Amino acid sequence: MSLAHRPSPSVVVAGLLAVVLCVGGCGRPAAPRASDARSAAAPRPVTDLNAFLPQPIGAAIGRPPWIGHVNTVDLDRDGLLDVIFCESQENQVLWIRQSPRGVFTEKLLASDMSAPVHVESADMDGDGDLDVIVSSMGVVFPDNDRIGTVFVLENDGRQNFTPHAVLEHTARVVDARAADLNRDGKMDLVLGQFGYDQGEISWLERTGPWEFQRHVLLDLSGAINVCVDDYNADGHLDIVALISQQWEEIYYFEGDGRGGFSTKRMWGSTNEDYGSSGLTSADLNRDGRPDLVYTNGDGFGPAATPGPRPWHGVQWFENKGDGNFRFHRIANYQGAYSPIVADVDGDGAMDIVASSAYADWNNTNRSVVSLVWFRNDGRMNFEPRILAKEPKDLITLAAGDFDGNGQVSLVTGGFYIYPPYDSMGRIVLWRKQPQPTR
């Protein structure tokens, strides 16, 4: 989920992110530095609109949907991949179950979630089934009150879920990830708390069945995403966090395996309108070290109408070891959000897919595109391939093998707060199409 900058209002998701918030403020944004605004050295995009076939799944569109986050998981562990997602306007967390293969049925998992914007799954209580972790903002739009909540939906093993509010009355929460940070055999939680004027990066240490002790790692507003992995190969889990608003920074928290963390600011932009919108962790170059892929595409707000920002795009932070990362600009991309890493074409090289939200949709020549695959040629050169020009405002994106054939499918969710309410999609499954033989 993500938000905006204080000097220049905008919208963002967390997302790992994924939702929309509008933040007011004053002052002109700082000019982008040359390295932020430069044109990426990449080939012209290839239009490949037939590569994936879109299929709406789940309920029909009623009022304009606010899909804050989608995730793919085999929730009932029947061998078929499902979708879980947040409807931030309806305060609901929902499950689209696949059973049998190719048949999708939507089910309500929890209501009264108070603006849920991110959903993950993990076996939090060690009973062998998957529970659901929900990040709740309280309200989507700006608010300084401590109205955030972290919920764990406890699975009884038959996919009936009991909600536990494990943290309440806190700065608005936009991302929560499960991990055993202190190696005590119990699952802890890492939190990105956007807040508004106040926010934090924190973690919740498991102290009882549904009790946690909170530890603040960084007292800074505007968190969007948190990622957890062993980035320096020392055997201990570390945390990386993306901070938006006027900060536009990425922080690295090196873990000692006992719940202690040292903090380093690993990257930042001097452009306060840079528009951070998503961060994900994956081994992009397959060298055995987890990298980071980052989008900046936030560009909407009361005083900043949707429109092009020449610095919007997709970046790769290559993990060089020992907590050091090298910045690579992958491509320019208007309104870039929700990056994911997957081998889309099955050639053994990891690709990037990103969606677009709140870009220049009023452009009469429809040059804006909503879904782009950045194809890796195996030598870390990325060719942009346009997969879709609609639906628009695809603020969240996930991937997985839904057909059991080893091929990657995509799932998108739309978030519509700005008229005209056209070209909408709620939950859409994008299946890879067979390539013609030559």
Side-chain angles (χ1 to χ4, degrees), residues 55-61 67 69-78 80-87 92-110 119 132 159 161 402 410-414 425-429 431:
Q55 174 192 354
I57 58 175
I61 295 177
I67 307 302
H69 187 231
V70 296
N71 211 334
T72 56
V73 59
D74 181 3
L75 188 60
D76 54 1
R77 293 186 166 177
D78 66 350
L80 302 176
L81 196 60
D82 310 312
V83 178
I84 53 176
F85 66 99
C86 298
E87 218 305 345
Q92 296 175 338
V93 175
L94 300 113
W95 171 31
I96 299 179
R97 183 190 183 204
Q98 182 178 194
S99 180
R101 189 177 299 281
V103 177
F104 296 90
T105 305
E106 184 170 316
K107 176 182 178 180
L108 178 68
L109 294 185
V119 59
V132 175
Q159 286 60 246
F161 292 86
F402 281 84
L410 308 173
V411 180
T412 57
R426 187 173 177 264
I427 306 295
V428 178
L429 174 64
R431 282 194 169 100

Side-chain angles (χ1 to χ4, degrees), residues 182-194:
N182 54 3
R183 305 178 72 173
D184 64 354
K186 295 179 288 190
M187 295 297 279
D188 309 304
L189 293 170
V190 179
L191 308 183
Q193 298 185 244
F194 191 98

Side-chain angles (χ1 to χ4, degrees), residues 100-179:
R101 189 177 299 281
V103 177
F104 296 90
T105 305
E106 184 170 316
K107 176 182 178 180
L108 178 68
L109 294 185
S111 56
D112 301 321
M113 290 285 101
S114 301
V117 296
H118 195 100
V119 59
E120 296 284 337
S121 62
D123 184 2
M124 292 296 297
D125 50 7
D127 64 355
D129 52 45
L130 290 175
D131 308 301
V132 175
I133 305 152
V134 182
S135 303
S136 168
M137 297 187 71
V139 296
V140 166
F141 293 101
D143 200 303
N144 271 324
D145 292 340
R146 301 185 73 80
I147 54 177
T149 307
V150 179
F151 293 98
V152 176
L153 309 182
E154 180 187 3
N155 190 346
D156 68 357
R158 297 180 298 277
Q159 286 60 246
N160 301 306
F161 292 86
T162 300
H164 300 274
V166 300
L167 179 67
E168 298 181 274
H169 311 300
T170 191
R172 296 184 301 164
V173 185
V174 295
D175 198 356
R177 309 292 178 110

Side-chain angles (χ1 to χ4, degrees), residues 317-381:
F317 289 89
E318 180 186 4
N319 189 344
K320 304 299 289 184
D322 297 322
N324 298 307
F325 294 82
R326 181 183 177 187
F327 177 95
H328 301 269
R329 178 76 165 187
I330 297 294
N332 299 333
Y333 184 21
Q334 273 192 59
Y337 268 74
S338 197
I340 60 169
V341 175
D343 183 2
V344 174
D345 52 1
D347 65 353
M350 301 303 287
D351 310 304
I352 300 170
V353 183
S355 59
S356 179
Y358 311 107
D360 190 13
W361 296 110
N362 295 320
N363 189 325
T364 55
N365 65 13
R366 301 296 290 176
S367 62
V368 177
V369 298
S370 57
L371 201 58
V372 175
W373 163 28
F374 300 93
R375 184 183 179 276
N376 185 350
D377 68 357
R379 297 180 296 276
M380 307 311 291
N381 302 306

